[in-house]
Amino acid sequence: MVATPSHQPREAACDVAKDQLHNTKQELTSHHLPRESPRHIFPTDGIRSAINDSTVRGIFCCTCDHCYKFSATSARNDSRRYTLTNERAEELLGEFLEIFALLVKLGYAGLISKFVEYGINLNRPLRKSDLKFLFDLTDRFGERTASTLRHQILEDQYEFCVRRIESGSWIRTLGKEEAFPIFKEQRVGNGDYGEVFRFEIYNGYTGGGFAPNTQYARKVFKQDRFAAAIREDGILALVRGLRKDRHDHLTTSLASFKYGETFFIVLPFASATLHSCFADDSSMFTTQELWEQICGLLGALEYLHGHEDAEFRVVLHLDLKPSNILVVGRRLQLSDFGLSKFKELSAMSESGSRVTNSTGFMTYAPPEHNIPSDEPSGTRYHDVYSMGGIISEVASFDVGGRKGLKAYRDRRRNEVDEEADFQSLSFHLSSGQIKHAVCEQHQDILRMTETGVWARGSRDDNGWRARFYDKGVFSLLEDVMLATAPEDRKSAGHAANMLRHQLKDAQTLLPSSQDLPDIWHDVQNRNLDGSAEADLVLRGTIQVDNAENRCGLCLKVLHQDTLQINSWVYGSPNGRQLGHTEYRGSFP
């Protein structure tokens, strides 16, 4: 007897699509989701993998009893294969794709013809009134089934009807039933205001101003901070509109959302802050790049402050500190405008979000900030002072690394303040005078420049430092930015121009193709020709082209009465070696 092979029944096309669709489901594990929001979505890319050119005909014309019952087919004539024209197939894969997928998930794929007939799709969330036609299909299912199906469609539609995330200057309101299509969310910071999360956006849901496979950040505010949150968002929106062109060293919000009971702002993701850079000697910036970025920050402050005689559209930051300076890509940007205000707005808030040291003084605040007042307020010169303190620490970190910066902070903290009974990390005494520790630190940096001893950086960095650090840099800090009285400080634009000139001078003294090492460093280490055999090496300065240039002298006794002197100079033009001269003479 020959056994006949058994044939397994072929699985219905709608069930195959349903299984494939289930495999594309993406979980939403984001923080601070409304209780009513979906816990997963079916991304458009996943839907297209289940319903596409090769499967749409089979699903639409599925021969299972369920699809046959709920299709528009009469009992005696199945006309679906004739009604599925190329044009209809394009509609199913286009504007009706999401509603088709939802019906497949719910097991009612056969109803898609009626949805197309009534023009019902998921280009917007559906309402009860949109589904009234279901109750006209009593020949296919009873009223109770129609009611249950309507409820399922209205409840599950947000797994398929997902809005794109687009940039804009207005607050977007998401319904608590809607989905926010983000993934890989991770908390990266928190504070009195709330929390900051890093995330990415699912493919297919990035609108204008956003890109796929890109990390972003969202700043989620606590409910009791909504007023401050909306105020900050307003400041960020106004910052975008201050000038025709956005400043590259300013962080501005991409979008803001009211989502259920949560308010958050979406920002570019910062890989680090200046504060975190201070903890790592292997900085991502060379010395020259670092100072170019600092110059960019001063330019951003100038952008915020506007012209000195401006009366309107002037933004004051009022909370500048290293942790509020972000590293976005390879650029430093001012951020966190939670305490910012426009010039015409009311006095700044004494918010608990400010970072203070243990004494309650703001580390980077100017002396006038700590003077009791019934109406505390801020000016442009508040920001200038804060930036001056930050720049002073940048210089200390640049030459001394994280240990050098820690020593500088300890030096400021430990300075005796006769008018105060506490220690402070601030840059000034209670009297408002700049601390001796600050000036002494600047002098130490100049001495390090002379000796060529650095805690971090490459040989090229050292050569650039030797040209950059001089009395002009610290005059900018002590006389222009950290002056005791606000009226004695200059504007951010003035400080930016001074630093630009300092950078330009340092650059013009270096070759365009290859940095020369510091002449004083080479003298000390006897790296010059003939210096290894010299009996004495000296360092000095000479005037070349109305500029002070460092030089090295190598002295060698040839005979009892004969001295050979070799002199070397690295200077203009373009930092090339001007050459060396020799002198031979007899001395009694």
Side-chain angles (χ1 to χ4, degrees), residues 29-87:
T29 56
S30 304
H31 299 75
H32 302 287
L33 291 175
R35 187 183 300 108
E36 299 83 356
S37 66
R39 291 299 177 260
H40 58 260
I41 60 172
F42 293 87
T44 302
D45 290 349
I47 295 174
R48 293 187 190 282
S49 68
I51 305 175
N52 49 54
D53 290 333
S54 61
T55 63
V56 65
R57 184 171 294 276
I59 301 169
F60 184 82
C61 299
C62 181
T63 57
C64 74
D65 292 341
H66 205 253
C67 287
Y68 190 88
K69 175 181 178 181
F70 294 115
S71 68
T73 303
S74 65
R76 287 181 282 181
N77 180 27
D78 187 351
S79 61
R80 286 178 295 172
R81 58 184 177 180
Y82 303 112
T83 59
L84 185 61
T85 62
N86 290 336
E87 182 180 354

Side-chain angles (χ1 to χ4, degrees), residues 466-516:
R467 291 299 180 190
F468 177 74
Y469 287 110
D470 60 21
K471 293 180 180 179
V473 173
F474 301 110
S475 175
L476 165 65
L477 293 178
E478 297 173 18
D479 301 331
V480 174
M481 304 187 74
L482 294 175
T484 300
E487 59 270 19
D488 292 335
R489 296 173 212 146
K490 302 296 184 182
S491 68
H494 182 93
N497 286 332
M498 287 186 66
L499 189 58
R500 290 187 190 108
H501 286 301
Q502 197 75 26
L503 289 168
K504 183 179 179 181
D505 290 344
Q507 182 61 31
T508 55
L509 293 175
L510 293 173
S512 56
S513 59
Q514 181 179 2
D515 289 350
L516 287 172

Side-chain angles (χ1 to χ4, degrees), residues 161-178:
C161 179
V162 182
R163 282 200 266 179
R164 290 188 174 193
I165 301 177
E166 297 182 340
S167 63
S169 58
W170 62 94
I171 299 174
R172 298 170 184 267
T173 300
L174 294 177
K176 57 186 179 182
E177 305 87 0
E178 293 189 63

Side-chain angles (χ1 to χ4, degrees), residues 70-362:
F70 294 115
S71 68
T73 303
S74 65
R76 287 181 282 181
N77 180 27
D78 187 351
S79 61
R80 286 178 295 172
R81 58 184 177 180
Y82 303 112
T83 59
L84 185 61
T85 62
N86 290 336
E87 182 180 354
R88 173 60 58 85
E90 289 179 2
E91 289 180 335
L92 294 176
L93 295 175
E95 60 181 306
F96 293 97
L97 178 65
E98 286 78 15
I99 192 64
F100 195 11
L102 174 55
L103 292 173
V104 168
K105 180 209 170 189
L106 296 177
Y108 288 91
L111 285 176
I112 187 60
S113 295
K114 281 297 181 183
F115 279 78
V116 173
E117 179 183 339
Y118 285 94
I120 304 298
N121 56 37
L122 288 179
N123 289 345
R124 60 164 179 81
L126 298 177
R127 298 183 292 268
K128 282 186 176 182
S129 58
D130 296 318
L131 302 175
K132 287 174 58 177
F133 71 92
L134 293 176
F135 294 88
D136 297 332
L137 306 178
T138 54
D139 58 329
R140 305 179 198 187
F141 44 68
E143 188 172 324
R144 176 178 294 182
T145 301
S147 179
T148 300
L149 178 57
R150 181 179 65 179
H151 175 76
Q152 288 180 308
I153 291 174
L154 294 177
E155 187 174 88
D156 293 356
Q157 64 175 321
Y158 294 103
E159 298 173 359
F160 299 84
C161 179
V162 182
R163 282 200 266 179
R164 290 188 174 193
I165 301 177
E166 297 182 340
S167 63
S169 58
W170 62 94
I171 299 174
R172 298 170 184 267
T173 300
L174 294 177
K176 57 186 179 182
E177 305 87 0
E178 293 189 63
F180 194 62
I182 62 175
F183 68 111
K184 292 184 179 179
E185 187 173 70
Q186 179 181 0
R187 184 168 63 184
V188 294
N190 60 79
D192 291 340
Y193 59 85
E195 299 173 292
V196 176
F197 298 91
R198 175 179 58 196
F199 69 91
E200 292 185 31
I201 304 172
Y202 278 114
N203 287 339
Y205 298 111
T206 53
F210 289 90
N213 304 316
T214 303
Q215 292 185 332
Y216 297 96
R218 66 184 188 120
K219 188 174 182 178
V220 182
F221 293 85
K222 296 178 180 177
Q223 289 190 28
D224 60 354
R225 299 300 301 274
F226 273 13
I230 294 174
R231 180 174 174 273
E232 178 175 349
D233 182 63
I235 291 287
L236 288 168
L238 289 168
V239 166
R240 285 196 296 268
L242 275 176
R243 314 283 184 267
K244 292 182 179 179
D245 301 319
R246 188 177 73 86
H247 199 285
D248 290 337
H249 291 273
L250 280 176
T251 296
T252 58
S253 66
L254 298 172
S256 55
F257 294 87
K258 178 70 168 59
Y259 188 21
E261 300 300 319
T262 303
F263 181 84
F264 59 90
I265 298 173
V266 178
L267 305 157
F269 175 68
S271 58
T273 66
L274 184 58
H275 174 77
S276 63
C277 287
F278 281 165
D280 185 4
D281 286 341
S282 58
S283 172
M284 64 182 68
F285 300 110
T286 67
T287 290
Q288 182 176 349
E289 289 172 342
L290 178 60
W291 282 101
E292 288 171 347
Q293 291 299 310
I294 295 301
C295 191
L297 292 178
L298 279 172
L301 204 56
E302 177 186 14
Y303 176 96
L304 289 178
H305 290 177
H307 298 293
E308 292 187 54
D309 58 351
E311 293 297 330
F312 302 102
R313 306 186 72 77
V314 174
V315 174
L316 309 176
H317 191 286
L318 305 179
D319 195 21
L320 290 173
K321 55 193 175 188
S323 59
N324 282 345
I325 296 175
L326 305 182
V327 181
V328 180
R330 288 188 55 80
R331 179 174 289 128
L332 294 180
Q333 293 185 338
L334 299 183
S335 72
D336 199 341
F337 293 84
L339 294 181
S340 300
K341 70 170 188 176
F342 272 80
K343 186 173 181 181
E344 64 270 26
L345 297 183
S346 59
M348 70 178 182
S349 167
E350 293 297 312
S351 168
S353 68
R354 296 182 182 183
V355 172
T356 63
N357 54 36
S358 59
T359 66
F361 272 53
M362 286 181 62

